[in-house]
Amino acid sequence: MTKTRSRRKAAITPAANALLSPQIMAMVDSAVVGASEAAFGGDPVLPEEVSSFVSFCASIQKRDGGLIEAVISDTIAAAPHFTAWKPDAYPITRRAEELARSGEIDPEDPPQLPQNKSIARHIRIDQFAVDLRTLTATAIEIKRSSYLGKAIREAARHDLLSTAMLARSYARKNGIKAMTGCSVLICFYGDVTPDFQGFTVLTRETVDDYFGVAITPVVEAARAYFSHRVRQRLEELVTPMTGILSDATMLACMEERGLGSPLEEMAPPPPRSGRRPRLAAV
């Protein structure tokens, strides 16, 4: 209980809220409201109040990663030494696709390829930023952690190579001067794993220094506010559940759904007569 109280106080301190823009706070509020209003299928075993609680918790967990991505992107875009945006569709040329698949490209020194009309595919990237101090164009992929499935890891490596080779030309195509291009993977609550050896992988400990922007304090403040708002909503959901799991209520709920009484199902079988069954004559 003591730990919960201390975390709640930290979630609403003026120092934490001072780091949050009205846009980020509105984003957090919208995420909580969206999770509350998310449609859920009723469970034939659970009462409606419990189903709502479970649905909200599942939806909140999914929205946490999106919140981290949005806060990081907005914080980089707000920095005066960056021009940054979220591309609707990042074009990958056939040449970049071939080189990325070849396995011969050094992720620490990818070749800089031109954009052309020979497009193999378009992909979604989380952020594209050009550092106006160094004229470096960066394609940014953001993950909540580094615990990624095998297929996701392979796709991420492929996309990181492809976007790095085309980052400089993509910036120039959009009218922004760039001298070099690269790509980075942000695993905010993760570690640098061997799966991305040679790639630039950033965590909460290194992302601020890399971009020259105080990103981590803003993300932590946003998640603290997010946790505070989630706890408020959980308290609202828990109140109607008071007593819902009592024996009488649960039995009535199960009988209402035609499931019978669990006590009846657990009743011992009737005693045997002790006589051995007679075998039919052959």
Side-chain angles (χ1 to χ4, degrees):
M1 294 298 292
T2 303
K3 184 177 181 181
T4 302
R5 291 196 191 100
S6 64
R7 289 179 62 186
R8 177 171 297 183
K9 289 180 180 179
I12 56 176
T13 57
N17 285 345
L19 294 172
L20 303 179
S21 66
Q23 292 80 7
I24 291 178
M25 296 186 75
M27 187 189 309
V28 171
D29 292 336
S30 178
V32 175
V33 172
S36 301
E37 297 177 348
F40 64 92
D43 191 293
V45 176
L46 299 176
E48 181 178 349
E49 294 85 352
V50 180
S51 293
S52 299
F53 179 85
V54 172
S55 173
F56 175 78
C57 292
S59 183
I60 280 296
Q61 289 176 323
K62 295 177 182 178
R63 293 169 193 266
D64 184 41
L67 177 65
I68 292 174
E69 174 190 326
V71 173
I72 292 175
S73 298
D74 287 1
T75 305
I76 293 174
H81 57 277
F82 275 106
T83 295
W85 69 95
K86 187 183 184 72
D88 294 330
Y90 191 97
I92 303 297
T93 64
R94 297 188 186 280
R95 180 57 177 161
E97 188 83 346
E98 293 170 359
L99 290 175
R101 292 187 182 280
S102 70
E104 300 175 357
I105 301 301
D106 181 0
E108 296 182 359
D109 187 26
Q112 302 295 293
L113 302 180
Q115 287 278 354
N116 55 46
K117 296 182 179 180
S118 181
I119 304 299
R121 61 190 177 111
H122 290 83
I123 66 172
R124 172 192 176 276
I125 63 174
D126 296 321
Q127 182 88 331
F128 187 83
V130 180
D131 191 327
L132 304 178
R133 304 166 302 177
T134 62
L135 301 181
T136 301
T138 306
I140 305 170
E141 181 72 16
I142 304 172
K143 303 293 184 184
R144 184 178 185 273
S145 72
S146 56
Y147 298 101
L148 309 174
K150 181 179 179 181
I152 296 177
R153 293 196 304 269
E154 292 177 353
R157 287 194 297 267
H158 183 83
D159 289 346
L160 287 169
L161 284 174
S162 301
T163 55
M165 289 186 279
L166 297 166
R168 183 182 68 178
S169 59
Y170 183 74
R172 292 176 176 178
K173 183 180 178 181
N174 284 274
I176 303 173
K177 185 178 181 180
M179 299 303 295
T180 188
C182 64
S183 62
V184 301
L185 172 64
I186 301 176
C187 295
F188 193 77
Y189 288 110
D191 301 311
V192 180
T193 65
D195 299 299
F196 294 98
Q197 186 174 1
F199 292 89
T200 301
V201 181
L202 307 175
T203 66
R204 64 188 300 272
E205 287 80 17
T206 58
V207 67
D208 293 8
D209 289 340
Y210 184 89
F211 288 104
V213 181
I215 296 173
T216 297
V218 181
V219 174
E220 297 286 10
R223 295 192 77 242
Y225 179 60
F226 184 52
S227 297
H228 172 67
R229 292 284 288 109
V230 167
R231 283 194 294 270
Q232 287 181 324
R233 180 56 182 153
L234 286 175
E235 290 175 358
E236 296 172 358
L237 291 172
V238 167
T239 300
M241 291 170 54
T242 304
I244 197 68
L245 298 181
S246 65
D247 292 341
T249 305
M250 182 57 74
L251 289 175
C253 179
M254 295 183 70
E255 291 174 356
E256 179 183 338
R257 288 161 173 76
L259 299 177
S261 170
L263 299 180
E264 293 177 359
E265 296 177 4
M266 295 174 60
R272 299 176 62 178
S273 62
R275 292 183 299 176
R276 299 178 63 182
R278 298 179 60 183
L279 300 177
V282 179

